[in-house]
Amino acid sequence: MITEHALLPVIPGLEEEFEAAFSQAREIIAAMPGFISLSLSRSIESPGTYLLLVEWQTLEDHTEGFRGSPEYQQWRALLHRFYEPFPVVEHYNRVTSARPVISADSKDPA
């Protein structure tokens, strides 16, 4: 599994329109072979910047499969007009992760 990472700088004043368009675009990418999950987060400190994280089974599922597909042209038509400057997309392999530790002492005695 790989994670696609993109910081999306949305043109000021177009944030609501971008979020509406992204709701449509989300359905396109979610139907692609190799797609695992997606999250879109909005920056608190820089409200015009969004963080897009997409998990793919393989790098090629994104770079060749999705980007080489007719569906990508629909994605582009919906979203690319909102960015200034155009986002840099990078891919990552997970090194480690963590979840909260639940100790035996914190369980409800009932």
Side-chain angles (χ1 to χ4, degrees), residues 8 46 60 67 88 92-93 96 98 108-110:
L8 309 177
S46 303
E60 294 75 21
R67 285 193 177 166
V88 173
Y92 294 82
N93 285 311
T96 190
D108 185 21

Side-chain angles (χ1 to χ4, degrees), residues 1 9 11 13 19 29-31 34 38 43 47 49-50 55 65-66 75 93 97 104 106 109:
M1 180 189 79
I11 297 167
E19 290 181 22
I29 198 170
L38 170 151
S43 173
T49 302
Y50 292 78
E55 292 181 323
F66 179 53
W75 172 273
N93 285 311
S97 64
S106 65

Side-chain angles (χ1 to χ4, degrees), residues 48-69:
T49 302
Y50 292 78
L51 171 62
L52 174 63
L53 298 173
V54 183
E55 292 181 323
W56 296 96
Q57 289 178 2
T58 68
L59 177 63
E60 294 75 21
D61 287 331
H62 178 232
T63 59
E64 296 171 19
F66 179 53
R67 285 193 177 166
S69 71

Side-chain angles (χ1 to χ4, degrees), residues 22 25 28-29 66 71-80:
F22 196 91
I28 295 169
I29 198 170
F66 179 53
E71 291 86 351
Y72 181 68
Q73 299 310 313
Q74 296 173 310
W75 172 273
R76 284 182 56 188
L78 282 167
L79 299 177
H80 285 198

